[in-house]
Amino acid sequence: MIKILTYNVHSCVGSDGQASPGRIAEIIAGCDPDIVALQELDVGRKRTGGVDQAHAIAAHLGMGVVFNPTIHIAEEQYGDAILTPLEMRLVKSGPLPSIGERRGALCVEVVYDGGTVTIVNTHLGLSRRDRSAQVAALLGPGWLDNPLNKSPRILLGDFNLVPSSLVYKQITRELVDVWSGSSSRPGKTFPSRLPLLRIDHIFTDRAVRVIDVGVIRTRAARAASDHLPLFAHLDIIPQLHRPQRHPSLARRREEVRVLPPA
């Protein structure tokens, strides 16, 4: 079994206006996840003190990290990351179709229980047109439908969409929302102070069994970001035969920094 967590950290800026990667890391540590997907990280940005938030959170947790910048402003970066103490390999990172603010995704293989699990972390756009095109890309051969990939798949992140939307249904024709396998009422994640919307999601292949799913609603979590973290405890049977490595993997590893566990 493996525990997955997704969290939009809002540049680690809480309701008090303070940027604190350490506070975010403490909230994550309290859930004790095996794999963490983070959105809205600042790296080297003046507005949050020039801190490499991806590295700082990973170092605090003793995890390796892969960071995908979706926006570059001179030497400053903003984007998403996947963290884990397990061995992971970058498969792909890059942009998604976007008319508005640039959006992207990050795909890794995590070595788990003798095989691999494919994890895709994303943060979709604010317009329905963008989200539909972005989901079509993610479900296509360039990402989750890659014929070389035989691993169980998990798609997670901040989707900026609610379960009643057409784009949500676009996803659930292919994958399963982890809440659908839970006896609990689905938890809302945004805004953190008074959650009204369920826009952060974890989707899996149909063969994955959900053991537990929940939203972290502690006082600290309500103050640390404008989203609440969503986690799922999953029973996964990884493929014993790992997929072939994508021929561009070596080149892509040079584009995204991978840090070993501390």
Side-chain angles (χ1 to χ4, degrees):
M1 291 182 286
I2 195 166
K3 184 176 281 188
I4 310 290
L5 181 142
T6 181
Y7 194 5
N8 181 324
V9 299
H10 193 237
S11 300
C12 299
V13 176
S15 58
D16 56 4
Q18 300 300 309
S20 177
R23 176 167 56 181
I24 293 290
E26 288 293 339
I27 292 165
I28 295 169
C31 186
D32 194 26
D34 300 294
I35 300 171
V36 178
L38 301 179
Q39 305 86 44
E40 293 195 14
L41 288 161
D42 280 3
V43 170
R45 301 200 70 176
K46 292 180 181 178
R47 68 180 187 181
T48 48
V51 175
D52 182 337
Q53 295 181 344
H55 179 276
I57 295 170
H60 189 105
L61 297 170
M63 294 184 176
V65 59
V66 178
F67 174 70
N68 176 47
T70 56
I71 296 177
H72 294 262
I73 305 171
E75 298 301 316
E76 302 181 2
Q77 296 179 332
Y78 172 82
D80 313 315
I82 296 176
L83 294 69
T84 181
L86 304 171
E87 180 186 345
M88 68 174 159
R89 297 184 294 271
L90 175 65
V91 176
K92 180 176 182 178
S93 67
L96 294 173
S98 302
I99 296 174
E101 182 179 327
R102 284 174 287 175
R103 304 289 177 161
L106 173 62
C107 177
V108 302
E109 289 175 356
V110 175
V111 178
Y112 168 72
D113 197 23
T116 58
V117 179
T118 297
I119 310 291
V120 176
N121 177 24
T122 193
H123 184 191
L124 300 188
L126 297 176
S127 76
R128 184 174 66 179
R129 181 177 178 182
D130 270 1
R131 290 193 298 269
S132 182
Q134 289 158 4
V135 165
L138 287 168
L139 296 177
W143 292 92
L144 286 167
D145 197 30
N146 187 332
L148 297 179
N149 178 25
K150 305 301 181 183
S151 301
R153 303 169 299 170
I154 298 172
L155 171 65
L156 75 172
D158 176 0
F159 290 79
N160 278 313
L161 55 86
V162 296
S164 60
S165 67
L166 292 175
V167 181
Y168 175 91
K169 294 176 174 61
Q170 188 179 344
I171 299 171
T172 53
R173 284 196 291 266
E174 301 292 334
L175 300 169
V176 177
D177 186 334
V178 291
W179 284 106
S180 66
S182 171
S183 58
S184 303
R185 184 176 181 178
K188 297 172 182 177
T189 57
F190 181 84
S192 58
R193 283 292 189 180
L194 182 62
L196 300 173
L197 300 173
R198 186 158 76 88
I199 60 175
D200 301 276
H201 302 284
I202 301 174
F203 301 99
T204 73
D205 277 326
R206 299 185 187 280
V208 174
R209 186 166 66 97
V210 178
I211 306 301
D212 187 27
V213 57
V215 174
I216 300 175
R217 300 185 179 92
T218 62
R219 178 179 296 180
R222 292 197 301 271
S225 172
D226 62 345
H227 287 243
L228 294 174
L230 169 68
F231 70 87
H233 200 179
L234 307 173
D235 187 7
I236 300 174
I237 303 175
Q239 295 291 328
L240 295 180
H241 300 286
R242 299 178 186 173
Q244 298 178 32
R245 302 294 293 279
H246 193 282
S248 64
L249 180 60
R251 176 178 60 80
R252 292 187 182 278
R253 286 185 66 90
E254 295 176 357
E255 298 172 356
V256 179
R257 181 157 42 107
V258 181
L259 302 176

